[in-house]
Amino acid sequence: MTEHSTRGGIDPSTVLQRIILPRDEDPLDVRPLYLDEPENVHSHVSSRREVTVPASAKVSFASYFNAFPASYWKRWTVVEEVVLRMRLRGEGRVDVYRSKPNGDPIHLDGRAVRSAKGWVDVEFRIGLKPFEDGGWIWFDVFTDDHTLEIGEAAWTTDVELPAQKVAIGMTTMRPVDAIIALRALGEDPAVLDVVQKVFVADQGAVKVRDTEGYAEAVRLLGDKLEVIEQDNLGGSGGFTRGLYEAIEHTDVDQIMLMDDDIRLEPDAVLRSNAFARAAAQPVIVGSHMLNLQARARLHSMGEVVDLGTCFWRAAPGAVTDHDFGSQSLRATEELHLRINSTYNGWWMCLFPREVVQRTGYPLPLFIKWDDAEYSLRALENGYPTVSLPGSAVWHMPWTDKNDATDWQAYFHTRNRLVMAALHSPYDVRSTLAKQGIKLTLRHLLSMEYSTVAVQQKAIEDFLAGPSRLFDSLRTALPEIQALRKGYADAQVLPSARKFPPPTFDMVRAEAMLTPPTNPAVKAREAAKALVHNLRSPEPATADRPQINVPSADARWFLLGNLDSATVSNADGSGVAFRKRDPKEFKKLMARAVRNYRRLSQEWPRMKQVYRDALPELTSVEAWRKVFEN
């Protein structure tokens, strides 16, 4: 540890991760992501880099954004020692700690600071040797009779890393959100120093150029900003446009994709950039998802694809929906184990140029599974994905979406089959059929006929082969929307007040909400619901719902015993009037049985067909034709 008086600053080229504070516009509930303070202590934040710890206080920087995720840097980069550099003024003490993979803290170094009249530079050097399996590094600040100011601090390296510029690719249907993200990018000079271009694929009816705030975004970003208006080609078409423009029309070493409907922590750009520059081999660098509705919650830490079941899930050991407002990093032992991901969502994800050039472009899937498939394909070429702690954006959690039952169910189903055909090493025919029939029956018992209809169309379109995928970028969504217009469960009205009051006995309904857990009871309830769904409904229930069902209670064991119900959607913005239809039930169930039997029979051939088509589907030439059209 060294100390000397100075009026200078930290060399930006050495910085791996800056110590940062909340922005003025951030709500107070984000504060635990930056500072771990006792309830009776409130440090004074002067700017994004400056904070004053009050007298007689202890403040810890063992926080999500300010602790250093040492195990990830040890495992994936050439950095063998990290240097904590700080500019301090006042009186107090700084102590540096690390954690073990099980979360146990270890004191490493510390010293008193007495510099009331001027700034002093302090350094702490910490080797990364013991961090292979997990662990963070952080510092705590203690004061007695005087305050201690931190004018600047950063986790840095003495290793000379290559300078690399970033091109950002954003796709938008929500221009207001896109403008907010663009302005956040342009307000930080350090971010602007590493960003060479920002490509926005504008696919919405209301254009970015016509949105309030666009002129300010242009002023901040200047000629770095390029807005490209194109047809709605979905997330895969919009994100691929960003990759395409960056690879074909710039010389950047890194391309970062990000959603429009995020709230950006700009330092995530710098941290991903630094991690990729320091990587021992090219890796995809993904950022975590924080909950946009509950800002102190970490929603997604890392994910994998289970190639046996062909579903995505949380990575082994990953923490989900963790509230830093109630449990700090230091107090949560599960957060200290390093985890391994196989992919990262494209709410924010960075790709070295080499990875894109060797892996090709994303598949033309419109939305869903394009991010997971791409990382699986990159991994087969030797490029893993790292979900980097401390690099994150705020995004709407998928638990508040209806995307498994609305029009997006088509893309979930079709694209999951495409992914499985390309990448699963297992014989998944039986798994796909059993899961599919079970899911179909659950939707039918829940009177979600439109969901089953689009899922069956998805299977049929998958079986038609990959030759239609590029055309489907423009045709699939209109076809699905037209199909869903024929189903009552797909028609959403603002509130249940649009319908007559329900007729069902609420006490009986409450009793029916208890889910069956015993397999025998579950089988009996399913058989009972199945028999009920084959009978004709009471005629009066077609006009008057029997019950109003909240989204959280819309389960098959309740709905399967009803003739009609209004059901709210996941975000509470509307309701659908579901009506039981035995003829539609039988027709869709028979169609599902035929399709899953055919899928099992043709699976070996379809795997080969899709694998043979992969080079063309991901080629620059094929995507160039899409964009030129």
Side-chain angles (χ1 to χ4, degrees):
M1 196 278 300
T2 60
E3 175 183 323
H4 61 275
S5 298
T6 182
R7 300 185 67 85
I10 297 171
D11 179 0
S13 68
T14 69
V15 173
L16 305 177
Q17 177 178 311
R18 301 190 296 183
I19 302 302
I20 53 175
L21 288 309
R23 292 171 292 184
D24 291 341
E25 62 267 30
D26 288 333
L28 286 176
D29 58 0
V30 308
R31 197 174 177 97
L33 297 173
Y34 299 87
L35 295 167
D36 182 7
E37 301 168 299
E39 288 186 6
N40 61 339
V41 174
H42 194 79
S43 303
H44 176 68
V45 175
S46 306
S47 72
R48 292 232 69 197
R49 308 295 309 282
E50 299 174 285
V51 61
T52 301
V53 177
S56 303
K58 172 193 172 183
V59 173
S60 178
F61 288 77
S63 62
Y64 177 79
F65 277 128
N66 284 324
F68 186 73
S71 62
Y72 292 81
W73 287 85
K74 161 68 186 293
R75 170 63 180 86
W76 296 108
T77 77
V78 298
V79 176
E80 296 180 350
E81 179 187 65
V82 65
V83 185
L84 173 61
R85 292 188 165 99
M86 313 177 72
R87 295 183 65 232
L88 305 172
R89 183 170 65 184
E91 296 186 14
R93 179 179 175 86
V94 177
D95 282 292
V96 180
Y97 297 82
R98 77 169 177 92
S99 63
K100 297 179 180 179
N102 66 0
D104 288 348
I106 299 175
H107 182 263
L108 296 176
D109 199 354
R111 70 158 299 147
V113 177
R114 294 181 177 84
S115 181
K117 295 183 179 180
W119 292 101
V120 63
D121 277 2
V122 176
E123 290 185 0
F124 296 92
R125 293 180 174 270
I126 306 100
L128 300 186
K129 186 176 180 179
F131 290 97
E132 182 69 19
D133 295 328
W136 299 67
I137 308 171
W138 67 87
F139 64 93
D140 292 350
V141 175
F142 302 84
T143 60
D144 286 321
D145 298 331
H146 300 85
T147 62
L148 183 63
E149 297 175 65
I150 300 176
E152 186 181 17
W155 302 101
T156 70
T157 181
D158 289 339
V159 176
E160 188 173 345
L161 301 179
Q164 295 182 350
K165 294 286 188 176
V166 183
I168 291 175
M170 178 188 298
T171 181
T172 185
M173 294 281 289
R174 310 171 187 86
V176 173
D177 288 329
I179 292 295
I180 293 172
L182 292 174
R183 292 175 64 177
L185 283 171
E187 288 171 351
D188 193 315
V191 174
L192 286 177
D193 283 344
V194 303
V195 173
Q196 181 171 316
K197 290 289 291 186
V198 180
F199 297 105
V200 179
D202 188 354
Q203 304 186 138
V206 179
K207 297 303 179 185
V208 171
R209 298 178 192 273
D210 300 328
T211 302
E212 183 179 355
Y214 175 70
E216 175 67 6
V218 172
R219 185 187 68 80
L220 291 168
L221 293 169
D223 61 3
K224 296 178 187 287
L225 177 61
E226 184 173 339
V227 177
I228 303 163
E229 296 179 359
Q230 65 180 33
D231 292 343
N232 179 15
L233 305 176
S236 60
F239 284 132
T240 303
R241 189 62 183 261
L243 292 171
Y244 173 85
E245 296 294 335
I247 294 293
E248 300 300 316
H249 301 135
T250 78
D251 60 354
V252 296
D253 296 293
Q254 303 173 4
I255 306 98
M256 172 176 278
L257 302 181
M258 66 172 66
D259 268 338
D260 56 349
D261 57 337
I262 59 171
R263 293 299 178 264
L264 181 66
E265 170 48 76
D267 248 59
V269 177
L270 299 176
R271 296 176 184 195
S272 296
N273 169 264
F275 194 85
R277 287 162 49 217
Q281 66 175 94
V283 296
I284 298 172
V285 184
S287 294
H288 288 176
M289 182 201 290
L290 297 163
N291 189 329
L292 185 59
Q293 296 180 325
R295 296 289 186 95
R297 287 185 178 271
L298 174 63
H299 188 70
S300 175
M301 185 179 183
E303 295 173 301
V304 296
V305 177
D306 183 339
L307 293 173
T309 63
C310 304
F311 277 118
W312 57 57
R313 46 156 288 199
V319 174
T320 58
D321 197 30
H322 177 77
D323 186 1
F324 285 103
S326 60
Q327 195 168 20
S328 68
L329 172 65
R330 187 200 297 258
T332 311
E333 62 183 39
E334 296 87 356
L335 289 168
H336 295 258
L337 184 70
R338 181 177 58 79
I339 67 166
N340 295 303
S341 302
T342 54
Y343 82 99
N344 199 97
W346 287 353
W347 45 80
M348 176 177 272
C349 199
L350 182 144
F351 304 83
R353 187 183 192 91
E354 177 185 324
V355 173
V356 180
Q357 290 176 322
R358 290 282 306 277
T359 305
Y361 288 115
L363 284 170
L365 299 179
F366 195 78
I367 59 169
K368 306 301 177 188
W369 284 100
D370 45 356
D371 47 11
E373 188 283 325
Y374 194 88
S375 277
L376 289 171
R377 186 161 24 113
L379 183 60
E380 291 170 359
N381 288 319
Y383 302 113
T385 296
V386 180
S387 294
L388 179 64
S391 179
V393 296
W394 288 272
H395 190 280
M396 182 72 73
W398 51 76
T399 48
D400 282 357
K401 297 181 179 181
N402 264 4
D403 65 1
T405 58
D406 64 10
W407 59 270
Q408 297 171 86
Y410 171 88
F411 297 102
H412 272 296
T413 303
R414 186 197 66 178
N415 298 347
R416 174 184 174 229
L417 295 174
V418 173
M419 182 284 303
L422 290 171
H423 299 293
S424 179
Y426 308 111
D427 185 350
V428 295
R429 287 176 288 182
S430 176
T431 297
L432 293 174
K434 289 178 181 178
Q435 289 174 345
I437 294 298
K438 182 179 179 180
L439 186 63
T440 297
L441 185 57
R442 184 182 301 163
H443 285 307
L444 291 176
L445 292 176
S446 301
M447 297 178 282
E448 292 172 322
Y449 303 122
S450 67
T451 301
V452 176
V454 299
Q455 288 173 335
Q456 296 315 304
K457 174 175 168 54
I459 297 170
E460 290 156 6
D461 287 354
F462 168 79
L463 290 168
S467 62
R468 302 182 184 182
L469 282 178
F470 274 113
D471 288 341
S472 75
L473 287 172
R474 289 183 168 91
T475 62
L477 181 57
E479 291 174 0
I480 297 160
Q481 290 172 330
L483 175 62
R484 296 181 78 242
K485 287 180 179 179
Y487 291 93
D489 63 281
Q491 312 312 310
V492 178
L493 292 176
S495 173
R497 70 176 181 270
K498 299 292 184 181
F499 305 97
T503 62
F504 211 64
D505 179 357
M506 298 304 296
V507 175
R508 181 185 171 199
E510 182 183 40
M512 293 169 64
L513 284 173
T514 304
T517 54
N518 182 285
V521 175
K522 187 179 293 187
R524 185 176 70 245
E525 290 298 316
K528 176 185 172 185
L530 181 59
V531 170
H532 179 73
N533 273 264
L534 296 178
R535 295 173 179 160
S536 298
E538 291 293 331
T541 61
D543 299 314
R544 185 174 184 178
Q546 290 179 299
I547 188 173
N548 302 142
V549 182
S551 174
D553 294 335
R555 309 285 293 277
W556 68 265
F557 45 83
L558 170 62
L559 295 171
N561 289 287
L562 301 175
D563 287 347
S564 70
T566 61
V567 180
S568 358
N569 53 20
D571 63 4
S573 62
V575 300
F577 187 9
R578 301 186 191 176
K579 307 172 189 180
R580 190 163 62 80
D581 185 338
K583 290 182 179 179
E584 193 66 24
F585 185 105
K586 295 173 186 176
K587 183 176 76 171
L588 288 171
M589 193 70 223
R591 183 179 173 190
V593 170
R594 287 195 305 271
N595 280 338
Y596 281 109
R597 181 185 297 119
R598 183 183 166 203
L599 183 68
S600 296
Q601 293 169 344
E602 298 190 28
W603 184 253
R605 182 180 69 85
M606 298 312 301
K607 283 177 60 176
Q608 193 59 50
V609 167
Y610 276 89
R611 293 182 184 194
D612 289 345
L614 184 62
E616 171 65 16
L617 292 172
T618 60
S619 69
V620 62
E621 295 81 12
W623 275 105
R624 182 181 290 118
K625 292 176 184 177
V626 173
F627 298 138
E628 288 178 351
N629 288 337

Short mmCIF file of all heavy atoms in Angstrom, two decimals, residues 169-194:
data_model
loop_
_atom_site.label_atom_id
_atom_site.label_comp_id
_atom_site.label_asym_id
_atom_site.label_seq_id
_atom_site.Cartn_x
_atom_site.Cartn_y
_atom_site.Cartn_z
N GLY A 169 -25.24 -1.48 -30.86
CA GLY A 169 -26.40 -1.76 -31.70
C GLY A 169 -27.64 -1.85 -30.85
O GLY A 169 -27.73 -2.67 -29.94
N MET A 170 -28.60 -0.98 -31.11
CA MET A 170 -29.86 -0.96 -30.37
C MET A 170 -31.01 -1.12 -31.36
O MET A 170 -30.99 -0.51 -32.43
CB MET A 170 -30.01 0.36 -29.61
CG MET A 170 -31.31 0.50 -28.83
SD MET A 170 -31.53 2.18 -28.15
CE MET A 170 -30.11 2.29 -27.07
N THR A 171 -31.97 -1.94 -31.02
CA THR A 171 -33.17 -2.05 -31.85
C THR A 171 -34.35 -1.51 -31.06
O THR A 171 -34.43 -1.71 -29.85
CB THR A 171 -33.44 -3.51 -32.27
OG1 THR A 171 -34.60 -3.56 -33.09
CG2 THR A 171 -33.63 -4.42 -31.08
N THR A 172 -35.24 -0.77 -31.73
CA THR A 172 -36.30 -0.14 -30.97
C THR A 172 -37.65 -0.17 -31.68
O THR A 172 -37.75 -0.04 -32.90
CB THR A 172 -35.95 1.33 -30.64
OG1 THR A 172 -36.97 1.88 -29.81
CG2 THR A 172 -35.83 2.19 -31.91
N MET A 173 -38.66 -0.40 -30.86
CA MET A 173 -40.06 -0.18 -31.22
C MET A 173 -40.65 0.87 -30.27
O MET A 173 -41.81 1.23 -30.37
CB MET A 173 -40.85 -1.48 -31.08
CG MET A 173 -40.47 -2.57 -32.05
SD MET A 173 -41.20 -2.30 -33.67
CE MET A 173 -42.92 -2.65 -33.30
N ARG A 174 -39.83 1.29 -29.30
CA ARG A 174 -40.27 2.20 -28.24
C ARG A 174 -39.34 3.42 -28.25
O ARG A 174 -38.38 3.48 -27.48
CB ARG A 174 -40.22 1.51 -26.88
CG ARG A 174 -40.91 0.15 -26.83
CD ARG A 174 -40.61 -0.55 -25.51
NE ARG A 174 -41.10 -1.91 -25.48
CZ ARG A 174 -40.43 -2.96 -25.93
NH1 ARG A 174 -39.22 -2.80 -26.46
NH2 ARG A 174 -40.94 -4.17 -25.86
N PRO A 175 -39.59 4.39 -29.10
CA PRO A 175 -38.64 5.49 -29.28
C PRO A 175 -38.40 6.32 -28.02
O PRO A 175 -37.30 6.84 -27.83
CB PRO A 175 -39.27 6.32 -30.39
CG PRO A 175 -40.72 5.94 -30.41
CD PRO A 175 -40.76 4.51 -29.99
N VAL A 176 -39.41 6.45 -27.15
CA VAL A 176 -39.21 7.23 -25.92
C VAL A 176 -38.15 6.56 -25.06
O VAL A 176 -37.23 7.23 -24.53
CB VAL A 176 -40.54 7.37 -25.16
CG1 VAL A 176 -40.30 8.03 -23.80
CG2 VAL A 176 -41.54 8.19 -25.97
N ASP A 177 -38.24 5.23 -24.89
CA ASP A 177 -37.24 4.51 -24.12
C ASP A 177 -35.86 4.59 -24.78
O ASP A 177 -34.84 4.73 -24.11
CB ASP A 177 -37.65 3.04 -23.97
CG ASP A 177 -38.82 2.85 -23.03
OD1 ASP A 177 -38.95 3.65 -22.08
OD2 ASP A 177 -39.61 1.93 -23.24
N ALA A 178 -35.84 4.47 -26.10
CA ALA A 178 -34.57 4.53 -26.82
C ALA A 178 -33.88 5.87 -26.60
O ALA A 178 -32.65 5.93 -26.40
CB ALA A 178 -34.80 4.30 -28.31
N ILE A 179 -34.63 6.96 -26.62
CA ILE A 179 -34.05 8.28 -26.41
C ILE A 179 -33.44 8.38 -25.01
O ILE A 179 -32.34 8.94 -24.83
CB ILE A 179 -35.11 9.38 -26.61
CG1 ILE A 179 -35.53 9.45 -28.08
CG2 ILE A 179 -34.60 10.73 -26.13
CD1 ILE A 179 -34.45 9.89 -29.03
N ILE A 180 -34.12 7.84 -24.01
CA ILE A 180 -33.58 7.86 -22.64
C ILE A 180 -32.24 7.13 -22.58
O ILE A 180 -31.27 7.61 -21.98
CB ILE A 180 -34.59 7.23 -21.66
CG1 ILE A 180 -35.84 8.11 -21.56
CG2 ILE A 180 -33.97 7.04 -20.29
CD1 ILE A 180 -36.97 7.48 -20.77
N ALA A 181 -32.16 5.97 -23.22
CA ALA A 181 -30.91 5.20 -23.23
C ALA A 181 -29.81 5.94 -23.99
O ALA A 181 -28.65 5.96 -23.56
CB ALA A 181 -31.15 3.82 -23.84
N LEU A 182 -30.16 6.56 -25.11
CA LEU A 182 -29.16 7.29 -25.90
C LEU A 182 -28.61 8.47 -25.12
O LEU A 182 -27.40 8.74 -25.16
CB LEU A 182 -29.79 7.76 -27.21
CG LEU A 182 -30.15 6.67 -28.22
CD1 LEU A 182 -30.91 7.26 -29.40
CD2 LEU A 182 -28.91 5.93 -28.71
N ARG A 183 -29.47 9.16 -24.41
CA ARG A 183 -29.01 10.30 -23.63
C ARG A 183 -28.09 9.85 -22.49
O ARG A 183 -27.10 10.52 -22.18
CB ARG A 183 -30.19 11.09 -23.10
CG ARG A 183 -30.97 11.80 -24.21
CD ARG A 183 -32.22 12.49 -23.71
NE ARG A 183 -31.92 13.57 -22.77
CZ ARG A 183 -32.85 14.36 -22.25
NH1 ARG A 183 -34.13 14.19 -22.58
NH2 ARG A 183 -32.51 15.31 -21.41
N ALA A 184 -28.41 8.72 -21.87
CA ALA A 184 -27.55 8.21 -20.81
C ALA A 184 -26.17 7.86 -21.35
O ALA A 184 -25.14 8.09 -20.69
CB ALA A 184 -28.19 6.98 -20.15
N LEU A 185 -26.12 7.30 -22.56
CA LEU A 185 -24.83 6.99 -23.18
C LEU A 185 -24.02 8.27 -23.43
O LEU A 185 -22.80 8.29 -23.23
CB LEU A 185 -25.04 6.27 -24.52
CG LEU A 185 -25.42 4.80 -24.48
CD1 LEU A 185 -25.80 4.33 -25.88
CD2 LEU A 185 -24.26 3.96 -23.93
N GLY A 186 -24.71 9.32 -23.87
CA GLY A 186 -24.01 10.53 -24.28
C GLY A 186 -23.61 11.45 -23.16
O GLY A 186 -22.83 12.39 -23.37
N GLU A 187 -24.11 11.21 -21.95
CA GLU A 187 -23.85 12.13 -20.85
C GLU A 187 -22.55 11.83 -20.11
O GLU A 187 -22.12 12.63 -19.28
CB GLU A 187 -25.03 12.09 -19.87
CG GLU A 187 -26.28 12.78 -20.41
CD GLU A 187 -27.51 12.56 -19.54
OE1 GLU A 187 -27.41 11.72 -18.60
OE2 GLU A 187 -28.54 13.18 -19.79
N ASP A 188 -21.93 10.70 -20.37
CA ASP A 188 -20.70 10.33 -19.65
C ASP A 188 -19.51 10.42 -20.59
O ASP A 188 -19.39 9.63 -21.53
CB ASP A 188 -20.83 8.91 -19.10
CG ASP A 188 -19.74 8.57 -18.08
OD1 ASP A 188 -18.57 8.90 -18.36
OD2 ASP A 188 -20.06 8.00 -17.04
N PRO A 189 -18.58 11.36 -20.38
CA PRO A 189 -17.43 11.52 -21.29
C PRO A 189 -16.58 10.26 -21.39
O PRO A 189 -16.06 9.96 -22.48
CB PRO A 189 -16.64 12.67 -20.65
CG PRO A 189 -17.64 13.42 -19.83
CD PRO A 189 -18.61 12.39 -19.33
N ALA A 190 -16.44 9.51 -20.30
CA ALA A 190 -15.62 8.29 -20.35
C ALA A 190 -16.25 7.25 -21.27
O ALA A 190 -15.55 6.54 -21.99
CB ALA A 190 -15.43 7.72 -18.95
N VAL A 191 -17.57 7.16 -21.25
CA VAL A 191 -18.27 6.23 -22.14
C VAL A 191 -18.10 6.67 -23.58
O VAL A 191 -17.82 5.86 -24.48
CB VAL A 191 -19.76 6.13 -21.76
CG1 VAL A 191 -20.52 5.28 -22.77
CG2 VAL A 191 -19.91 5.54 -20.36
N LEU A 192 -18.24 7.96 -23.83
CA LEU A 192 -18.07 8.48 -25.20
C LEU A 192 -16.67 8.22 -25.73
O LEU A 192 -16.49 8.06 -26.94
CB LEU A 192 -18.38 9.98 -25.23
CG LEU A 192 -19.86 10.36 -25.14
CD1 LEU A 192 -20.01 11.88 -25.11
CD2 LEU A 192 -20.65 9.77 -26.29
N ASP A 193 -15.69 8.16 -24.84
CA ASP A 193 -14.31 7.92 -25.28
C ASP A 193 -14.13 6.53 -25.88
O ASP A 193 -13.24 6.32 -26.72
CB ASP A 193 -13.34 8.11 -24.12
CG ASP A 193 -13.08 9.58 -23.80
OD1 ASP A 193 -13.42 10.43 -24.64
OD2 ASP A 193 -12.57 9.86 -22.70
N VAL A 194 -14.95 5.55 -25.43
CA VAL A 194 -14.77 4.18 -25.94
C VAL A 194 -15.81 3.82 -27.00
O VAL A 194 -15.64 2.84 -27.71
CB VAL A 194 -14.80 3.12 -24.80
CG1 VAL A 194 -13.74 3.43 -23.77
CG2 VAL A 194 -16.17 3.03 -24.17
#
